[in-house]
Structure formats: C-alpha cells, structure tokens
Amino acid sequence: MKNPVQQAIEARLSVNHYDATRQFSDDTIVALVAQAVRAPSAYNLQNWRFIAVRSDTAKSRLKAVAYGQQKVMDAAVVFIVCGTLAAHTQLAAALQPSVDAGLMPQRMVDRWVAQAAGAHAENMVLQRDEAVRSASLAAMTLMLAAQGMGLGSCAMVGFDAVRLSQEFGLTDTDLPVILVTVGYPAAGNWPQKPRKPVSDVLEVI
C-alpha cells in the first residue's frame, strides 16, 4: 500500500480550471505556508517570503502582470513565492531558535554565519541561485501540502517579474520566483501528464 506522501505526489496535477465560487479561510492560508516553510534551505537560511493574493482587487492586479491568465482570478488564493537575496545577513537570527532549543551550540552558528557570509556576500550569482532553489523547494512543499488538504494547485512562471515587483512593492532583496495558485479544482482539468521513463533520466553509479 502506498503511503500518503506517495499518494499525494501521484495524484497531484496542474490545475488550470478552478471553482471560483469556493473559497477558504485565512487559517487555511496560514496552514499551507506553515507546511511550506518546512522545506530545506542551505544553512537553514529560510530565504523565502510568501504573498497570499486573495482579494478580487489584488487578483486583478496580479492577473494584469501574469499575461491575463484567468486561473489567477478563479483560484481561492495565489501565492507569490519570493526567494530572498543577501539572506546571509539574517542567518544569525534565523538560527537563533535552534540555539535556544539546544539543537546547535552558538559556536557552530557563528561558524555557519561566517561561512555563509564568505561565500555569499560578494557573489550575486550564488545569492540568486540560492534564492531560486529555496523558493522552488518551498513552492513544491506548498503544493504537496495543498494536495494533502484536498486542494488543487498549479505552479506558474508566466508573469512579468519587473511589473510584479513594482505592483506589489517588493524590496530589492525579494526575488519573485514562482506563482502558486491554490483552490478547488473545477471540471475540465487534464490528468497528470505522463513522465519520461526513469531509465531515461537516472544513472546509478
């Protein structure tokens, strides 16, 4: 028998048609992000931010910078998932709860902070790569969380990042990586499309 995680992975599909009459509460939005932030990140940087777009007014603004895609309006919520640039500057604060919980000694945190600063401070390519990696991992975790709650989702990269940043007042350290629509699927969605055989993409050494 397949476990719930396997079931969620195999049942997940990219929802393009949502039931616009069905919404959900702020508690569900919070619960989804609470799962998303359990995704891994280098040094436990947690270099992500989520903007939950749920009002019709805000959705209209987002639709305008997402090339008019109707699912932005019909989904219960659309998450703008951002990666954080210069995340090394807030690493000490991100790791402090681990110190307080007795999971990490302060000397280890100090070493990690120094290592991260040395690698990231003057390397914008690495900062961007890390932001994209972390935001993508968080977005996938959010989608699986939605699947587990009986909701549908879709990852979207069809948007004008510059206009989105301007429209929603993103900061210089917010990198908009992906949009994730979440809601109740309507009829007419494709099933999960077939994937390449594992033998085509796997090499065991």
Side-chain angles (χ1 to χ4, degrees), residues 77-113:
V77 63
V78 186
F79 292 95
I80 302 172
V81 184
C82 298
T84 306
L85 302 172
H88 62 281
T89 62
Q90 51 83 54
L91 179 57
L95 294 178
Q96 188 59 47
S98 294
V99 176
D100 296 341
L103 298 176
M104 297 179 68
Q106 185 62 53
R107 64 181 179 278
M108 180 180 290
V109 169
D110 294 342
R111 187 166 65 250
W112 283 25
V113 169

Coordinates of all heavy atoms in Angstrom, one line a residue, residues 77-113:
V77 N -6.7 31.4 -3.8 CA -5.5 32.3 -3.4 C -4.4 32.0 -4.4 O -4.3 30.9 -5.0 CB -5.1 32.0 -2.0 CG1 -4.6 30.6 -1.8 CG2 -4.0 33.0 -1.5
V78 N -3.6 33.0 -4.7 CA -2.4 32.9 -5.4 C -1.2 33.3 -4.6 O -1.2 34.5 -4.1 CB -2.4 33.7 -6.8 CG1 -1.2 33.4 -7.6 CG2 -3.7 33.4 -7.5
F79 N -0.3 32.4 -4.4 CA 0.9 32.8 -3.6 C 2.0 33.3 -4.5 O 2.4 32.6 -5.5 CB 1.4 31.6 -2.8 CG 0.5 31.1 -1.8 CD1 -0.4 30.1 -2.0 CD2 0.6 31.7 -0.5 CE1 -1.2 29.6 -1.0 CE2 -0.3 31.2 0.5 CZ -1.2 30.2 0.3
I80 N 2.5 34.5 -4.3 CA 3.7 34.9 -4.9 C 4.9 34.4 -4.0 O 5.0 34.9 -2.8 CB 3.8 36.5 -5.0 CG1 2.6 37.0 -5.7 CG2 5.1 36.9 -5.6 CD1 2.5 38.6 -5.7
V81 N 5.6 33.5 -4.5 CA 6.7 32.9 -3.7 C 8.0 33.6 -4.1 O 8.5 33.5 -5.3 CB 6.8 31.4 -3.9 CG1 7.9 30.8 -3.0 CG2 5.4 30.7 -3.7
C82 N 8.6 34.3 -3.2 CA 9.9 35.0 -3.4 C 11.0 34.3 -2.7 O 10.9 33.8 -1.6 CB 9.8 36.4 -2.9 SG 8.5 37.4 -3.6
G83 N 12.2 34.3 -3.4 CA 13.4 34.0 -2.7 C 14.1 35.3 -2.2 O 13.8 36.3 -2.8
T84 N 14.9 35.1 -1.2 CA 15.5 36.3 -0.5 C 16.9 36.4 -0.9 O 17.7 35.5 -0.7 CB 15.3 36.2 1.0 OG1 14.0 36.0 1.3 CG2 15.9 37.5 1.7
L85 N 17.3 37.5 -1.5 CA 18.7 37.8 -1.8 C 19.4 38.3 -0.5 O 18.7 38.8 0.4 CB 18.8 38.9 -2.9 CG 18.1 38.5 -4.2 CD1 18.1 39.6 -5.2 CD2 18.8 37.3 -4.8
A86 N 20.7 38.2 -0.5 CA 21.5 38.7 0.7 C 21.0 38.0 2.0 O 21.0 38.6 3.1 CB 21.5 40.2 0.8
A87 N 20.5 36.8 1.9 CA 20.0 36.1 3.0 C 21.0 35.8 4.1 O 20.6 35.6 5.3 CB 19.3 34.8 2.6
H88 N 22.3 35.8 3.7 CA 23.3 35.6 4.8 C 23.3 36.6 5.9 O 23.7 36.3 7.0 CB 24.7 35.5 4.1 CG 25.1 36.8 3.4 ND1 24.6 37.2 2.2 CD2 25.9 37.8 3.8 CE1 25.1 38.3 1.9 NE2 25.9 38.7 2.8
T89 N 22.8 37.8 5.6 CA 22.8 38.9 6.5 C 21.8 38.6 7.7 O 21.9 39.3 8.7 CB 22.5 40.2 5.9 OG1 21.1 40.2 5.3 CG2 23.5 40.5 4.8
Q90 N 20.8 37.7 7.5 CA 19.9 37.4 8.5 C 20.0 36.0 9.0 O 19.1 35.5 9.7 CB 18.4 37.7 8.1 CG 18.0 37.1 6.7 CD 17.6 35.6 6.9 OE1 16.7 35.3 7.6 NE2 18.2 34.7 6.1
L91 N 21.1 35.3 8.7 CA 21.3 33.9 9.1 C 21.3 33.8 10.6 O 20.8 32.8 11.2 CB 22.5 33.3 8.4 CG 22.8 31.9 8.7 CD1 21.6 31.0 8.4 CD2 24.1 31.4 8.0
A92 N 22.1 34.6 11.3 CA 22.2 34.5 12.7 C 20.8 34.5 13.4 O 20.5 33.7 14.3 CB 23.1 35.6 13.3
A93 N 20.0 35.4 12.9 CA 18.6 35.5 13.5 C 17.8 34.3 13.2 O 17.0 33.7 14.0 CB 17.9 36.7 13.0
A94 N 18.0 33.7 11.9 CA 17.2 32.5 11.5 C 17.6 31.3 12.3 O 16.8 30.4 12.6 CB 17.5 32.3 10.0
L95 N 18.9 31.3 12.8 CA 19.4 30.1 13.5 C 19.3 30.2 15.0 O 19.4 29.3 15.8 CB 20.9 29.9 13.2 CG 21.2 29.4 11.7 CD1 22.7 29.3 11.5 CD2 20.5 28.1 11.4
Q96 N 18.9 31.4 15.5 CA 18.8 31.6 17.0 C 17.8 30.7 17.6 O 18.1 30.2 18.7 CB 18.4 33.1 17.3 CG 18.5 33.4 18.7 CD 19.9 33.2 19.3 OE1 20.9 33.6 18.7 NE2 20.0 32.5 20.5
P97 N 16.7 30.4 17.0 CA 15.8 29.4 17.6 C 16.4 28.0 17.8 O 16.1 27.3 18.8 CB 14.6 29.4 16.7 CG 14.5 30.7 16.0 CD 16.0 31.1 15.9
S98 N 17.3 27.7 16.9 CA 18.0 26.4 17.1 C 18.9 26.4 18.3 O 19.1 25.4 18.9 CB 18.8 26.0 15.8 OG 17.9 25.8 14.7
V99 N 19.5 27.6 18.5 CA 20.4 27.7 19.7 C 19.5 27.6 21.0 O 19.8 26.9 21.9 CB 21.2 29.0 19.6 CG1 22.0 29.2 20.9 CG2 22.1 29.1 18.4
D100 N 18.4 28.4 20.9 CA 17.5 28.5 22.1 C 17.0 27.1 22.5 O 16.7 26.8 23.6 CB 16.4 29.4 21.8 CG 16.8 30.9 21.7 OD1 18.0 31.2 22.1 OD2 16.1 31.7 21.1
A101 N 16.7 26.2 21.4 CA 16.2 24.9 21.6 C 17.3 23.9 22.0 O 16.9 22.7 22.2 CB 15.4 24.4 20.4
G102 N 18.5 24.3 22.0 CA 19.6 23.4 22.3 C 20.0 22.5 21.2 O 20.7 21.5 21.4
L103 N 19.6 22.8 20.0 CA 19.9 22.0 18.8 C 21.3 22.3 18.3 O 21.9 21.4 17.7 CB 18.9 22.1 17.8 CG 17.4 21.7 18.1 CD1 16.5 22.1 17.0 CD2 17.3 20.2 18.4
M104 N 21.7 23.5 18.4 CA 23.0 23.9 17.9 C 23.7 24.8 18.9 O 23.1 25.6 19.5 CB 22.9 24.8 16.6 CG 22.2 24.1 15.4 SD 22.1 25.2 14.0 CE 23.8 25.4 13.5
P105 N 25.0 24.5 19.1 CA 25.8 25.4 20.0 C 26.1 26.8 19.3 O 26.1 26.8 18.1 CB 27.1 24.6 20.3 CG 27.2 23.7 19.1 CD 25.8 23.4 18.6
Q106 N 26.2 27.8 20.1 CA 26.5 29.1 19.5 C 27.7 29.1 18.6 O 27.7 29.8 17.6 CB 26.6 30.2 20.6 CG 26.7 31.6 20.1 CD 25.5 32.0 19.3 OE1 24.4 31.9 19.8 NE2 25.7 32.5 18.1
R107 N 28.7 28.4 19.0 CA 30.0 28.4 18.2 C 29.7 27.8 16.8 O 30.4 28.3 15.9 CB 31.1 27.6 18.9 CG 30.8 26.2 19.1 CD 32.0 25.5 19.9 NE 31.7 24.1 20.1 CZ 31.0 23.6 21.1 NH1 30.4 24.4 22.0 NH2 30.8 22.3 21.2
M108 N 28.8 26.9 16.7 CA 28.5 26.3 15.4 C 27.8 27.3 14.5 O 28.0 27.5 13.3 CB 27.7 25.0 15.5 CG 27.3 24.4 14.2 SD 26.3 22.9 14.4 CE 27.5 21.8 15.1
V109 N 26.8 28.0 15.2 CA 26.1 29.1 14.5 C 27.1 30.2 14.0 O 27.0 30.6 12.8 CB 25.0 29.7 15.3 CG1 24.4 31.0 14.7 CG2 23.9 28.7 15.6
D110 N 28.0 30.6 14.8 CA 29.0 31.6 14.4 C 29.8 31.1 13.2 O 30.1 31.9 12.3 CB 29.9 31.9 15.6 CG 29.2 32.6 16.8 OD1 28.0 33.1 16.6 OD2 29.7 32.6 17.9
R111 N 30.1 29.8 13.2 CA 30.9 29.3 12.1 C 30.1 29.3 10.8 O 30.6 29.7 9.8 CB 31.4 27.9 12.5 CG 32.4 27.3 11.4 CD 33.1 26.1 11.9 NE 32.2 25.0 12.2 CZ 31.9 24.5 13.4 NH1 32.4 25.1 14.5 NH2 31.1 23.5 13.6
W112 N 28.8 28.9 10.9 CA 28.0 28.9 9.7 C 27.8 30.3 9.2 O 27.8 30.5 8.0 CB 26.6 28.2 10.1 CG 26.6 26.7 10.2 CD1 27.6 25.9 10.5 CD2 25.5 25.9 10.0 NE1 27.2 24.6 10.5 CE2 25.9 24.6 10.2 CE3 24.1 26.1 9.8 CZ2 25.1 23.5 10.2 CZ3 23.3 25.0 9.7 CH2 23.7 23.7 9.9
V113 N 27.5 31.2 10.1 CA 27.3 32.6 9.7 C 28.5 33.1 8.9 O 28.4 33.8 7.9 CB 27.0 33.5 10.9 CG1 27.0 35.0 10.5 CG2 25.6 33.1 11.4

